[in-house]
């Protein structure tokens, strides 16, 4: 593989490549991996760029009270991925830092290969500190993070041609972490001339190549770096060039603004998130392409077998999942029973808790960030106890890591443990430690109901509910992110509270959650199992056939990659 036809280069701080590799932290990385897996299946010419993250994100440990501690989750690239020869340099804080790449190959169903390059600074020519730059995902302070973003954006642009990828038609920034690639492209175009000599035409030429997907609907979530740090690390000339882009409002370099400035196509990750983003950045033409998930990756073996029998084309063409609507409800239920049994067995093995296969099992697993409000279902324990005793038994499975410096997220986990202890005579609650790609699929397929209670409008998209839908697990969710589009009330699942047209109202949402559980969901689950199985089946046919990365990638192809520049 020395040359290629024109490709899309997909840059992401995290990419989930394999369940055993800790190169991601959550949804953003899983999305990146799913996108590239879809490209491999569809024969699209793409390459991925990320950092090697030798120490990964982290392993989560929880004590009996739910206190989280962390340990590094080191892996050895030497044993898993292939070293590439080229070495490029990135000038960081006045020193030349050497960067090389490891190659991971994603093979598609038809044999097409998408290479992913994991950048690495652990080379003997670099200082010990520089060698650690590609170690820890979202670790360290702002200084460390900015240096990592230089390696990703500038190193990635420099190394692609050396690796044989010299015809890149689009550079896609998956979130703002890779926004410095725009600067790298400008420097490449100027061939050593001063950045201050760049003309409007030069800027246009860079913009014509760049695509930006924003994922953050709250300003506080954006990557920002103080001016002194930026000028120290990037140098005076680059800092001056960044200042003229408008990416430094209030003196800080804001990576979202840089990416907005440097891109010809910009999108949010669900229709509603596009709307919210246009409100945040009114000066930019922001579109929306709703996220999806890689169906083959997230399908449980039981449902995979069922679809292979009825609609074997589903693997290479996910649209065929639409025809799940013709499969008998008894077969849907039987496949789900198998998936649930698998989850129950794994949970027993990991935690010692024996869940009951007959009991309605609610799943809630995602990063333990405060806005996701994992504890919303526990806001009125008396009411929840009453519901579980009078309308039918409930058990709940939780999972999720808090970022090591997120005090609020860690607190949230402790609160869940407290509520679990308070409920223990009535409702079994399991919190599974170290939630990651290895355990996640068991929960998405094994739960009976997938709960999602973010504070609106902070969930840009959310993807775990899409993975549940593929496996016939209906969502029960606040109307945010993808669910605004995916919710057909009583058909694909149930809404909690009002839609985006009304203001966020936590008290109302809590009441709506309990009301629907009590009056609609539990009576249907225990009293009308066939009706419940029809909801499961529609979740697959209506949502599984749409909220997948085949559809998503084809939308990026049609709207972002091969479309004339947007004025
Ligand atoms: C899908 C997935 C996520 C993202 O879930 P959200 O619902 O978007 O929060 C996070 N972690 C893992 C391991 C996943 O598979």
């Amino acid at each position: 593989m020395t040359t290629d036809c024109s490709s899309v280069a997909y840059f992401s701080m995290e990419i989930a490549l394999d369940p055993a590799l800790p190169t991601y932290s959550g949804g953003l990385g899983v999305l990146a991996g799913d996108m590239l897996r879809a490209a491999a299946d569809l024969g699209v010419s793409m390459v991925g760029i990320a950092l090697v993250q030798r120490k990964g994100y982290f392993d989560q440990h929880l004590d009996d009270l739910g206190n989280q501690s962390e340990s590094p989750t080191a892996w050895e690239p030497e044993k898993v991925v292939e070293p590439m020869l080229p070495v490029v340099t990135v000038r960081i804080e006045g020193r030349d830092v050497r960067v090389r790449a490891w190659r991971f190959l994603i093979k598609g169903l038809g044999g097409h290969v998408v290479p992913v390059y994991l950048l690495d600074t652990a080379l003997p020519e670099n200082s010990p500190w520089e060698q650690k730059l590609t170690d820890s995902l979202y670790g360290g302070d702002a200084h460390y993070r900015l240096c990592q973003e230089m390696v990703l954006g500038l190193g990635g642009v420099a190394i692609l041609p050396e690796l044989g990828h010299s015809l890149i038609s689009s550079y896609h920034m998956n979130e703002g972490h890779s926004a410095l690639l725009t600067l790298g492209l400008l420097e490449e175009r100027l061939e050593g001339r001063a950045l201050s000599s760049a003309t409007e035409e030069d800027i246009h030429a860079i913009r014509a190549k760049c695509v930006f997907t924003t994922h953050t609907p709250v300003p506080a979530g954006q990557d920002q770096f103080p001016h002194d740090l930026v000028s120290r690390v990037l140098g005076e000339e680059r800092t001056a060039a960044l200042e003229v882009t408008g990416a430094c409002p209030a003196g800080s370099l804001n990576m979202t603004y840089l990416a907005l400035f440097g891109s010809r196509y910009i999108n949010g990750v669900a229709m509603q998130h596009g709307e919210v983003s246009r409100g945040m950045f009114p000066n930019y033409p922001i579109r929306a392409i709703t996220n999806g998930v890689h169906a083959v990756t997230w399908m449980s073996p039981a449902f995979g077998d069922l679809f292979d029998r009825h609609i074997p084309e589903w693997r290479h063409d996910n649209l065929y999942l639409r025809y799940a609507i013709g499969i008998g409800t008894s077969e849907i239920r039987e496949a789900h029973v198998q998936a649930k049994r698998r989850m129950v067995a794994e949970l027993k093995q990991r935690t010692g808790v024996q869940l009951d296969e007959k009991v309605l099992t609610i799943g809630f697993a995602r990063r333990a960030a405060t806005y996701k409000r994992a504890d919303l279902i526990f806001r009125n324990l008396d009411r929840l106890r009453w519901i579980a005793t009078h309308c039918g038994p409930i058990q709940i499975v939780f999972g999720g890591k808090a970022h090591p410096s997120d005090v609020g997220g860690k607190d949230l986990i402790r609160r869940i443990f407290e509520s679990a202890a308070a409920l223990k005579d009535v409702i079994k609650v399991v919190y599974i430690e170290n939630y990651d790609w290895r355990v996640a699929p068991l929960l998405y397929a094994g739960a009976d109901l997938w709960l999602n209670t973010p504070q609106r409008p902070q969930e840009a998209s959310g993807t775990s509910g899409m993975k549940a839908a593929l496996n016939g697990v209906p969502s029960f969710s606040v109307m945010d992110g993808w669910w605004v589009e995916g919710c057909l009330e009583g058909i694909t699942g149930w809404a909690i509270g009002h839609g985006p047209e009304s203001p966020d109202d936590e008290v109302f949402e809590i009441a709506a959650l309990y009301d629907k559980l009590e009056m609609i969901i539990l009576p249907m689950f225990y009293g009308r199992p066939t009706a419940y199985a029809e909801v499961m089946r529609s979740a697959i046919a209506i949502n599984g056939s749409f909220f997948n990365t085949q559809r998503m990638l084809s939308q990026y192809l049609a709207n972002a990659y091969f479309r004339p520049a947007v004025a």
Side-chain angles (χ1 to χ4, degrees):
M1 197 191 304
T2 48
T3 56
D4 59 357
C5 57
S6 133
S7 300
V8 173
Y10 188 80
F11 282 64
S12 184
M13 186 57 95
E14 47 173 311
I15 306 182
L17 294 166
D18 182 277
L21 303 185
T23 56
Y24 68 96
S25 81
L28 186 73
V30 172
L31 179 83
D34 279 3
M35 171 89 153
L36 296 170
R37 283 182 277 279
D41 289 346
L42 294 178
V44 175
S45 178
M46 272 181 99
V47 300
I49 297 273
L51 303 185
V52 70
Q53 322 284 18
R54 284 169 179 271
K55 292 193 177 152
Y57 189 46
F58 65 87
D59 276 332
Q60 177 197 50
H61 311 280
L62 296 172
D63 70 13
D64 293 343
L65 299 175
N67 295 302
Q68 173 181 302
S69 55
E70 302 94 21
S71 61
T73 165
W75 66 293
E76 292 174 90
E78 293 75 4
K79 294 196 175 147
V80 187
V81 279
E82 198 188 338
M84 299 283 104
L85 289 176
V87 173
V88 294
T89 54
V90 177
R91 201 151 177 83
I92 301 178
E93 252 177 311
R95 295 188 306 268
D96 281 336
V97 177
R98 316 253 169 227
V99 181
R100 66 155 162 177
W102 298 89
R103 185 168 72 182
F104 181 97
L105 298 177
I106 300 179
K107 288 205 184 63
L109 292 169
H112 178 72
V113 171
V114 166
V116 178
Y117 297 101
L118 302 173
L119 306 182
D120 187 8
T121 58
L123 285 163
E125 304 91 294
N126 290 331
S127 73
W129 192 79
E130 290 159 358
Q131 292 187 30
K132 294 193 174 75
L133 275 180
T134 49
D135 270 359
S136 301
L137 178 59
Y138 307 136
D141 55 9
H143 178 215
Y144 184 79
R145 175 78 77 91
L146 182 57
C147 295
Q148 281 199 329
E149 295 191 7
M150 291 181 76
V151 174
L152 179 65
L154 302 173
V157 165
I159 209 164
L160 277 169
E162 305 294 325
L163 292 165
H165 302 283
S166 36
L167 282 171
I168 302 292
S169 55
S170 289
Y171 291 80
H172 189 159
M173 293 168 261
N174 185 43
E175 192 48 298
H177 309 124
S178 51
L180 288 170
L181 74 81
T182 55
L183 185 65
L185 289 172
L186 185 62
E187 289 177 351
E188 187 181 66
R189 181 179 166 90
L190 295 176
E191 294 178 318
R193 278 180 287 132
L195 281 169
S196 57
S197 70
T199 61
E200 269 302 305
E201 197 191 327
D202 293 322
I203 305 287
H204 265 312
I206 303 311
R207 200 174 277 148
K209 292 184 178 179
C210 294
V211 169
F212 172 45
T213 301
T214 172
H215 294 260
T216 323
V218 274
Q222 290 161 17
D223 241 353
Q224 295 185 49
F225 300 100
H227 179 272
D228 336 339
L229 178 66
V230 174
S231 61
R232 176 156 60 91
V233 175
L234 278 132
E236 287 308 324
E237 189 195 1
R238 283 169 167 170
T239 306
L242 291 172
E243 271 162 0
V244 300
T245 65
C248 309
S252 295
L253 171 60
N254 180 316
M255 291 302 186
T256 302
Y257 279 104
L258 180 58
L260 290 168
F261 171 83
S263 300
R264 77 158 190 281
Y265 181 88
I266 304 159
N267 71 289
V269 290
M271 292 302 128
Q272 150 77 7
H273 177 237
E275 197 73 43
V276 171
S277 303
R278 282 188 290 278
M280 286 170 72
F281 312 111
N283 301 326
Y284 297 92
I286 304 180
R287 317 294 156 111
I289 294 177
T290 302
N291 281 343
V293 297
H294 188 252
V296 170
T297 297
W298 299 104
M299 194 68 82
S300 63
F303 272 102
D305 290 348
L306 178 65
F307 299 144
D308 285 347
R309 287 200 301 278
H310 289 273
I311 36 176
E313 302 86 347
W314 78 274
R315 287 180 189 267
H316 68 264
D317 182 353
N318 299 166
L319 271 172
Y320 279 90
L321 289 170
R322 177 64 180 73
Y323 303 106
I325 209 71
I327 300 175
T329 49
S330 57
E331 285 189 84
I332 300 280
R333 285 174 59 191
E334 181 44 42
H336 179 66
V337 165
Q338 285 180 45
K340 191 168 180 181
R341 199 164 283 157
R342 238 177 118 221
M343 174 187 78
V344 168
E346 178 72 18
L347 291 176
K348 165 84 182 157
Q349 216 203 344
R350 287 186 177 221
T351 66
V353 178
Q354 178 69 54
L355 292 181
D356 186 337
E357 284 174 26
K358 298 266 181 291
V359 167
L360 178 96
T361 306
I362 298 177
F364 186 108
R366 41 183 66 84
R367 284 184 303 113
T370 43
Y371 82 86
K372 294 199 184 232
R373 302 189 300 188
D375 61 336
L376 201 79
I377 190 171
F378 293 145
R379 293 297 170 83
N380 185 340
L381 293 182
D382 288 337
R383 175 133 193 228
L384 189 60
R385 255 188 223 106
W386 189 92
I387 293 172
T389 345
H390 293 85
C391 311
I394 297 171
Q395 53 197 10
I396 313 178
V397 181
F398 283 97
K401 300 174 180 175
H403 184 277
S405 58
D406 180 1
V407 178
K410 289 185 170 178
D411 222 42
L412 188 60
I413 299 177
R414 267 191 298 272
R415 283 208 299 282
I416 296 198
F417 272 66
E418 273 169 33
S419 302
L423 286 167
K424 75 174 189 316
D425 298 329
V426 187
I427 297 177
K428 269 190 195 142
V429 178
V430 189
Y431 200 109
I432 183 120
E433 205 174 40
N434 209 30
Y435 170 67
D436 67 1
W437 182 354
R438 281 168 292 205
V439 69
L442 296 173
L443 310 186
Y444 303 145
D448 296 305
L449 187 67
W450 197 249
L451 182 67
N452 182 35
T453 49
Q455 183 173 14
R456 292 184 294 136
Q458 298 193 50
E459 192 62 274
S461 165
T463 52
S464 60
M466 301 175 183
K467 299 170 198 163
L470 278 173
N471 289 285
V473 175
S475 279
F476 182 34
S477 170
V478 161
M479 293 296 268
D480 204 10
W482 82 283
W483 193 236
V484 176
E485 312 161 37
C487 178
L488 296 177
E489 183 68 16
I491 295 173
T492 57
W494 298 272
I496 298 173
H498 295 303
E501 65 289 347
S502 357
D504 167 39
D505 180 347
E506 185 167 287
V507 173
F508 183 80
E509 285 173 353
I510 294 168
L513 192 165
Y514 293 129
D515 287 349
K516 273 193 192 165
L517 208 49
E518 174 186 335
M519 290 178 257
I520 298 173
I521 299 172
L522 283 163
M524 185 191 278
F525 184 83
Y526 288 112
R528 295 187 296 129
T530 304
Y532 200 87
E534 283 167 4
V535 177
M536 297 171 68
R537 183 172 64 185
S538 306
I540 303 164
I542 298 173
N543 285 345
S545 64
F546 184 81
F547 295 100
N548 57 68
T549 37
Q550 275 191 1
R551 185 270 313 153
M552 176 180 104
L553 176 59
S554 67
Q555 287 199 280
Y556 277 101
L557 289 167
N559 297 281
Y561 298 155
F562 300 121
R563 162 186 147 137
V566 175

